[in-house]
Amino acid sequence: MIELASSFLSGSYTPLVTPFRDGKVDFDKYAELVERQVRDGSHGVVVTGTTAEPSSLTIEERCDLVKVAVDSSRNRIPIVAATGSQSFAETAELTARAEKAGVDALLIVTPYYVKPPQRGLVEYFVEIGKRTTLPLMIYHIPGRAAVSVTPGTVAQIAERLPNLVGLKHAANDLEFLTETLTLLGRDFRIFCGLEALSLPMLVVGAAGLMNAVGNLAPGRVAAMCEAVKRGDLAEARRLHFELFELNQAIFLDTNPIPLKYMMWRMGLLDAPELRLPLVRLDENSQQKLDEVLRRAKLLGAQNSSATPST
């Protein structure tokens, strides 16, 4: 495994939503979202991860979002491009174009829908990884991809691929974290992708978080990572419980449906617009999320009177 600076790929890396306006990607708004992450203390940004609705985006839109993120960050925080697809050819193209755009690392999901065997996953990641010099992480999200990667498979890939430096783990399985770190060493960067497991995974040895809730409260999520890093578990627990209801709210419906609604209510988006097959929340769910935002002190007077759209 290639050696990384201790601060790189560590902490809170927010997977940003994709703002839409009248059916088109709003790149100006996206630049604003990147700037907010920098301003509010996130340690990095993930572009076109699951929260960004990547399967609803064209290749050109995904590449343009990467360019906007790189340009907007101006090297102040690292940019991780999620370049995975169900297709090897598409993943290879997205990966090459992301590297050319100047991203700092790659996050590549296990191919969804295909349901490959473990030996197929080994060859897939090795072949993709050989085509780039960038640090690469596997995105393990079996609930969406319908395939799991085992710690043993990760170790096989790492043995053949020096630039495999980590993994995003979005599954309710803490044992996976311990087994993978035992096989690959504590420097292997594992990021938590499930809000509910954020604190437990950080305490066990995860390098950081790639959580959708960072779109709502980036400073709080980053602060929790920093508290664990300095050994202040009392403060980390306080933040964990403070974020708990927001974390639950993210999954009131399919992500990012609730998230985009809450960001709109906070004034971060001009509209909670999605692409089909995702659709907006019903009125009852909107009211529930408004209450969550008020309790979290994220719904200010300037936007608390806005009329929710259905």
Side-chain angles (χ1 to χ4, degrees):
M1 185 172 70
I2 59 175
E3 188 173 341
L4 302 176
S6 60
S7 61
F8 180 48
L9 295 180
S10 174
S12 177
Y13 277 58
T14 300
L16 292 181
V17 301
T18 300
F20 297 119
R21 190 178 184 87
D22 300 325
K24 297 180 180 180
V25 176
D26 187 340
F27 293 105
D28 291 337
K29 181 61 66 176
Y30 193 74
E32 292 177 16
L33 295 180
V34 174
E35 183 62 35
R36 176 173 178 258
Q37 293 295 320
V38 175
R39 184 180 66 246
D40 287 4
S42 289
H43 304 104
V45 162
V46 179
V47 186
T48 65
T50 300
T51 301
E53 303 168 71
S55 60
S56 299
L57 300 170
T58 67
I59 288 180
E60 290 305 320
E61 287 171 333
R62 291 180 68 170
C63 292
D64 288 343
L65 284 166
V66 168
K67 291 176 186 175
V68 170
V70 170
D71 292 344
S72 301
S73 70
R74 302 196 302 279
N75 294 316
R76 291 173 292 170
I77 58 174
I79 302 298
V80 176
T83 58
S85 169
Q86 83 287 353
S87 156
F88 179 91
E90 191 169 302
T91 299
E93 180 179 352
L94 288 164
T95 297
R97 293 177 66 172
E99 182 166 15
K100 186 176 180 181
V103 303
D104 299 284
L106 302 164
L107 179 67
I108 298 179
V109 70
T110 51
Y112 43 88
Y113 184 74
V114 183
K115 298 186 75 172
Q118 294 298 303
R119 64 187 184 280
L121 290 173
V122 171
E123 299 305 324
Y124 179 86
F125 281 105
V126 168
E127 288 305 312
I128 288 292
K130 286 179 178 178
R131 296 168 181 245
T132 179
T133 60
L134 290 173
L136 183 152
M137 292 183 290
I138 296 169
Y139 185 9
H140 182 222
I141 182 167
R144 294 230 186 196
V147 63
S148 294
V149 59
T150 68
T153 295
V154 177
Q156 288 182 54
I157 298 167
E159 193 174 319
R160 294 172 55 188
L161 195 64
N163 55 329
L164 179 69
V165 299
L167 177 144
K168 177 180 177 179
H169 182 51
N172 191 13
D173 182 2
L174 278 173
E175 186 176 353
F176 179 98
L177 170 67
T178 302
E179 186 175 350
T180 303
L181 290 177
T182 298
L183 288 171
L184 292 167
R186 301 291 179 86
D187 289 334
F188 192 71
R189 307 298 211 262
I190 297 185
F191 279 79
C192 176
L194 286 183
E195 276 77 357
L197 290 181
S198 295
L199 182 56
M201 282 188 61
L202 286 171
V203 171
V204 170
L209 311 175
M210 290 181 176
N211 287 351
V213 75
N215 285 276
L216 299 174
R220 298 182 205 182
V221 179
M224 185 169 69
C225 292
E226 291 164 3
V228 173
K229 189 172 185 178
R230 66 175 180 268
D232 189 351
L233 295 187
E235 175 63 6
R237 280 194 296 270
R238 185 190 71 79
L239 289 162
H240 169 74
F241 282 99
E242 186 177 303
L243 287 164
F244 180 66
E245 192 176 26
L246 281 175
N247 289 338
Q248 287 186 310
I250 295 288
F251 301 103
L252 183 65
D253 203 335
T254 302
N255 180 42
I257 295 172
L259 177 58
K260 280 193 162 181
Y261 173 81
M262 289 188 284
M263 291 179 71
W264 171 65
R265 293 291 278 143
M266 290 171 62
L268 298 172
L269 296 178
D270 295 330
E273 191 172 333
L274 304 133
R275 282 185 176 169
L276 291 172
L278 299 184
V279 293
R280 297 186 186 186
L281 286 170
D282 59 78
E283 186 174 348
N284 183 54
S285 296
Q286 291 176 356
Q287 292 173 358
K288 288 180 180 179
L289 292 180
D290 284 350
E291 291 303 315
V292 170
L293 290 174
R294 289 190 184 97
R295 286 191 288 271
K297 298 180 173 56
L298 293 175
L299 194 61
Q302 73 277 10
N303 47 27
S304 62
S305 60
T307 303
S309 61
T310 56

